[in-house]
Amino acid sequence: MDASMIKKDRMKYSKNKFSSNFALLSILFNIFYFVSIYKSDIGNFYYSIIIGESVIYNLLFMLFTFLCSEGVKKYSLGYSVTLVVIGILQTARIFYLPARAHGTVLEIGGVERAVMDNAQYTRVIVFLLISSAFAVIGGVVGIIRNRVLTAYTNSSAT
């Protein structure tokens, strides 16, 4: 057996830690995002349904991403695809809460202030993009490794 065949054969008995770790890194950068958002308290902008939706989404994001991190360890195609979709949704989030908060100006004590200044807006966008990239990379690598393992298993079975 050559080295590539041995590597493929070992995949049957080892976990896909690369994709799993990338999913966990995606959760970490999502935590940085929501800590940055939730520590802000400008006027009454965050006292609305938008923050409730954001909290629920963050909880669901972390739950499903962790579930995917466990699923991709077993080279599951479904979990890998779900991880890619989660990554795409992370990018789409930029246009929901951060964009609204950045575009809203409130008058507080006679002074107009943006709910989210440029520095915070840039920071939360970077956190979401990094979180998205980690999820997509983990999912794509999981898909590739699933296909390699499936092809190897099918060829060795015949």
Side-chain angles (χ1 to χ4, degrees):
M1 282 185 126
D2 64 1
S4 69
M5 294 294 279
I6 292 171
K7 187 175 180 180
K8 290 175 188 173
D9 196 50
R10 284 190 60 201
M11 287 176 73
K12 293 190 293 188
Y13 308 105
S14 63
K15 295 180 180 182
N16 182 6
K17 292 181 183 176
F18 181 87
S19 293
S20 177
N21 288 340
F22 267 66
L24 295 176
L25 284 170
S26 179
I27 292 172
L28 177 67
F29 278 90
N30 183 68
I31 291 169
F32 293 157
Y33 159 77
F34 77 73
V35 165
S36 180
I37 292 287
Y38 298 159
K39 74 177 183 178
S40 299
D41 190 19
I42 307 295
N44 60 359
F45 178 81
Y46 290 113
Y47 299 104
S48 66
I49 192 73
I50 192 172
I51 202 70
E53 292 167 348
S54 177
V55 169
I56 291 170
Y57 183 88
N58 279 316
L59 291 172
L60 290 173
F61 167 83
M62 290 187 291
L63 175 72
F64 283 110
T65 305
F66 182 76
L67 180 65
C68 288
S69 80
E70 291 299 310
V72 297
K73 281 183 186 178
K74 300 172 189 159
Y75 302 97
S76 170
L77 181 62
Y79 286 114
S80 297
V81 171
T82 303
L83 200 53
V84 171
V85 170
I86 287 172
I88 293 168
L89 290 174
Q90 281 293 85
T91 301
R93 290 179 73 186
I94 293 169
F95 304 105
Y96 187 62
L97 179 62
R100 285 184 182 182
H102 185 253
T104 302
V105 177
L106 299 176
E107 186 174 326
I108 302 168
V111 178
E112 287 190 351
R113 278 183 66 187
V115 172
M116 187 180 294
D117 63 9
N118 290 335
Q120 183 185 15
Y121 183 62
T122 302
R123 190 171 49 251
V124 298
I125 286 175
V126 168
F127 290 152
L128 283 174
L129 288 175
I130 292 171
S131 174
S132 173
F134 281 144
V136 169
I137 290 168
V140 168
V141 169
I143 291 168
I144 292 168
R145 288 185 176 181
N146 169 274
R147 289 186 178 167
V148 167
L149 182 60
T150 303
Y152 174 74
T153 304
N154 291 341
S155 70
S156 65
T158 57

